[in-house]
Amino acid sequence: MTGPLAGIRVLDLSRVLAGPSATQLLGDLGAEVIKIEHPERGDDTRGWGPPYVETADDAPSDLSAYFCAANRNKQSVALDIARPEGQRIARELAATSDVVVENFKVGGLAKFGLAYDDLKDSLPALIYCSITGFGQTGPYRHAAGYDYTVQGMGGIMSLTGEPEGEPMKVGVAIADLMCGMYAATAILAALRHRDATGEGQHIDLGLLDTQVAWLANQGLNYLTTGTPPPRHGNEHPNIVPYKTMPCRDGHLIVAAGNDAQFQRLCAVLDRPDLAEDARFATNRARVENRATLYPILDNLMRERDLDTWVRALTDRGIPCGPVNTLDRVFADPQVQHRGMQLTMDAPGTETGQLDLLANPIGFSATPVSYRSVPPRLGEHTEAVLRDALALDDAAIDRLHKNGVISR
């Protein structure tokens, strides 16, 4: 096994997206990830389709595209932790692990003897990361939290969408994904602390907390003024011109972040007079007069097609980019050069291969590794029990007969 986290074992008791995205990142960095799933249902997202990855024998697939987005580099163990024997096995796996990640409701794992308080005394070096909707404390701690509702409660929807339209969620589950990023970062910091002191710890992460944390400049705009920022659609609250503009055959983002760039933009548009107009000469003036300037720019941009504008503006050093549909994204030469579409061998699938999104991290010494495609439910149950817990054939057969595991 390669990567900076080689030798680290993660017991993944999470499902859906926030936890799995964090553990996939750890797996990409070289950690061994053991994913515990219900023997019959598996991770909820296995059924979140279509589309599904088609199997070679036309059998029903448990690999939805959604599941595949967050579960490579993992071993699937189909284990029923509602059964006492399943709980015992899970505790034994935790004892062999460096990290446990879970996203049960607050107190949900205590009834199985798998909460942090159940493990910390016997496993003082264990790093235990809990991801919930609202964290382990506070008035909402027992409530279920979902990405969509947290986007609303955490303010990002109030900032997203057209000024006169309805609040709009982000097109992917960004609250979940950002929480996963914070979780992975926290786990890495806790590993560093453990390596220095031998001490493990409990990491408490809530979707709402992380959503509020990445309000970034808009959050500070409110805290500085006391006034909730309005929605600006595809415009920037503090920079003009900085928005999506209509072209003859698509849309172009123009991000002229300073006065010199605006002057060059006006030259490309054959309207140098706009840069000399006192209403538009400085960014402060352009922000104040955006309602006057933007219709002028939009009408000029409609005169040419998208790719013509991209070439013309790029040649003059004006930040810009097309609003791409996903077919254009994966055909983009920069995206292709950076290898962001990953193709892995996937025996048992219809094509024998699986296309995934690559990890964007580039290391010079310890590169990201792609060792295994997202697993079928229970694909590694027997192998993990043999390797990690040294169970023999008789013990594994008994567990299967008793319904504790599935194969």
Side-chain angles (χ1 to χ4, degrees):
M1 187 177 293
T2 61
L5 294 185
I8 296 296
R9 175 176 286 171
V10 178
L11 183 62
D12 185 0
L13 299 175
S14 69
R15 57 216 184 275
V16 186
L17 190 55
S21 67
T23 53
Q24 177 174 268
L25 177 53
L26 298 175
D28 287 353
L29 297 178
E32 176 191 3
V33 181
I34 299 173
K35 182 179 179 71
I36 303 299
E37 301 188 69
H38 188 278
E40 297 176 2
R41 299 187 300 273
D43 189 309
D44 299 358
T45 61
R46 287 188 181 275
W48 287 10
Y52 294 93
V53 177
E54 298 298 331
T55 59
D57 57 5
D58 293 327
S61 175
D62 64 359
L63 293 177
S64 69
Y66 198 116
F67 176 84
C68 290
N71 286 287
R72 69 166 164 254
N73 285 335
K74 300 181 185 182
Q75 302 172 83
S76 173
V77 172
L79 178 69
D80 189 352
I81 63 171
R83 297 173 182 264
E85 201 161 13
Q87 296 160 21
R88 176 184 61 79
I89 291 172
R91 286 192 292 271
E92 290 178 359
L93 287 172
T96 72
S97 300
D98 302 277
V99 180
V100 170
V101 178
E102 61 92 8
N103 65 347
F104 284 70
K105 290 183 180 179
V106 172
L109 282 176
K111 61 184 177 182
F112 304 135
L114 292 168
Y116 177 65
D117 287 343
D118 299 315
L119 302 175
K120 65 178 183 179
D121 291 337
S122 60
L123 303 172
L126 182 67
I127 295 160
Y128 190 106
C129 179
S130 296
I131 298 173
T132 57
F134 302 101
Q136 301 292 306
T137 62
Y140 301 162
R141 64 188 181 279
H142 293 298
Y146 296 92
D147 174 272
Y148 196 171
T149 56
V150 166
Q151 284 196 42
M153 295 175 70
I156 193 65
M157 288 179 63
S158 76
L159 305 172
T160 307
E162 293 300 324
E164 303 305 321
E166 64 180 29
M168 190 66 61
K169 72 178 181 67
V170 180
V172 296
I174 190 66
D176 274 345
L177 291 169
M178 285 299 296
C179 190
M181 288 288 185
Y182 278 105
T185 303
I187 289 167
L188 295 177
L191 284 169
R192 175 69 179 88
H193 174 75
R194 187 207 62 178
D195 290 347
T197 67
E199 180 184 40
Q201 60 184 300
H202 188 201
I203 299 168
D204 171 12
L205 276 168
L207 291 180
L208 182 59
D209 297 343
T210 59
Q211 172 57 75
V212 173
W214 65 268
L215 289 173
N217 59 299
Q218 288 284 53
L220 266 292
N221 285 349
Y222 166 71
L223 293 177
T224 300
T225 65
T227 301
R231 289 192 298 280
H232 289 279
N234 288 322
E235 298 181 19
H236 194 286
N238 306 116
I239 305 172
V240 173
Y242 199 110
K243 82 174 190 79
T244 302
M245 298 184 181
C247 303
R248 185 181 297 164
D249 60 346
H251 288 83
L252 177 69
I253 298 167
V254 176
N258 57 51
D259 296 340
Q261 290 174 353
F262 179 66
Q263 292 165 9
R264 295 200 297 274
L265 172 64
C266 294
V268 174
L269 296 172
D270 294 325
R271 287 293 307 273
D273 58 296
L274 293 175
E276 299 169 359
D277 191 314
R279 297 171 299 171
F280 313 134
T282 66
N283 183 68
R284 180 186 293 269
R286 292 192 295 275
V287 170
E288 293 175 355
N289 294 286
R290 69 170 73 217
T292 301
L293 177 61
Y294 274 144
I296 298 172
L297 297 180
D298 286 349
N299 286 333
L300 292 169
M301 297 297 293
R302 287 189 180 97
E303 295 177 359
R304 301 183 189 179
D305 61 50
L306 178 60
D307 291 336
T308 298
W309 279 126
V310 169
R311 288 191 297 270
L313 271 61
T314 301
D315 287 346
R316 294 298 303 274
I318 301 162
C320 67
V323 178
N324 283 332
T325 52
L326 294 195
D327 56 332
R328 286 178 59 105
V329 170
F330 290 104
D332 187 286
Q334 179 69 20
V335 174
Q336 291 185 343
H337 178 82
R338 299 288 287 182
M340 289 309 300
Q341 179 175 340
L342 169 69
T343 300
M344 297 183 68
D345 291 335
T349 62
E350 185 176 44
T351 64
Q353 293 184 318
L354 186 60
D355 289 329
L356 300 169
L357 300 176
N359 189 303
I361 300 173
F363 287 110
S364 64
T366 55
V368 165
S369 61
Y370 305 108
R371 303 177 303 282
S372 59
V373 296
R376 302 296 300 268
L377 176 60
E379 180 178 342
H380 305 96
T381 301
E382 293 189 19
V384 168
L385 296 182
R386 292 180 197 280
D387 295 343
L389 302 184
L391 297 188
D392 59 19
D393 290 346
I396 291 172
D397 288 342
R398 180 176 54 81
L399 290 170
H400 184 261
K401 180 178 180 180
N402 292 339
V404 179
I405 63 173
S406 67
R407 294 165 163 153

